[in-house]
Amino acid sequence: ILEKRGHPDWKLTIDITENRGLDYYSGLSFSIFVPGVSCEVGRGGRYRIEGVTPETDTEATGFTLYVETLRGLLPEPRRGKRIFISEGIASGAAEKLRAEDYIVVHALSEYGSGEEEAKRLGCGWIYENGKVKALA
């Protein structure tokens, strides 16, 4: 299946002696590993869902991915230049700033539109009177 549907570099290792000693799984279980990581990034297998009576039990297969582990494998996000703009600034001005590679953060009147609010929101610049101003 991996050769037919997957990538030729994918590897599958089967360890038939693997037994976690958990009664949760009722059949085949597996762990998911990726190159460069010493721990598993997911686990799954076949398990039984108990019904009202043993005759109504069903089987299912599922898996869990460890999102925090996977998240740690992602490259650091690109940190753009965050610029704070006040309410009422024309959308054309915001589009121009985006074209200049700024991440535009709009002010909300209930929180204010000054430098203090811009800094609180992690902005390094503020757009005032039609000009970009760097914040100290």
Side-chain angles (χ1 to χ4, degrees), residues 2 7 15 24 48 58 60 72 83 89 101 105 110 131 136:
L2 288 177
H7 192 278
D15 180 355
Y24 179 74
R48 175 174 266 100
T58 58
I83 188 165
I89 300 293
D101 207 27
V105 179
E110 58 265 28
K131 296 185 179 169

Side-chain angles (χ1 to χ4, degrees), residues 45-130:
R46 183 174 169 191
Y47 58 95
R48 175 174 266 100
I49 301 171
E50 293 185 12
V52 177
T53 64
E55 296 80 31
T56 60
D57 287 358
T58 58
E59 294 282 331
T61 302
F63 65 93
T64 299
L65 293 176
Y66 305 142
V67 176
E68 287 300 316
T69 303
L70 291 169
R71 195 172 131 231
L73 300 174
L74 296 174
E76 192 66 30
R78 192 184 116 231
R79 302 285 181 207
K81 304 179 291 183
R82 292 172 60 92
I83 188 165
F84 187 74
I85 64 172
S86 299
E87 283 185 291
I89 300 293
S91 61
E95 286 303 316
K96 183 177 182 249
L97 291 167
R98 286 187 190 96
E100 294 172 8
D101 207 27
Y102 284 98
I103 296 170
V104 177
V105 179
H106 293 268
L108 298 174
S109 59
E110 58 265 28
Y111 296 105
S113 59
E115 290 185 20
E116 187 176 314
E117 180 66 1
K119 289 177 184 177
R120 185 185 76 80
L121 293 172
C123 297
W125 291 266
I126 192 167
Y127 187 76
E128 290 181 324
N129 302 321

Side-chain angles (χ1 to χ4, degrees), residues 15 18-20 22 25-31 43-46 62:
D15 180 355
E18 176 68 26
N19 183 354
R20 298 199 183 269
L22 302 174
Y25 294 111
S26 60
L28 179 72
S29 63
F30 57 88
S31 296
R43 182 184 297 172
R46 183 174 169 191

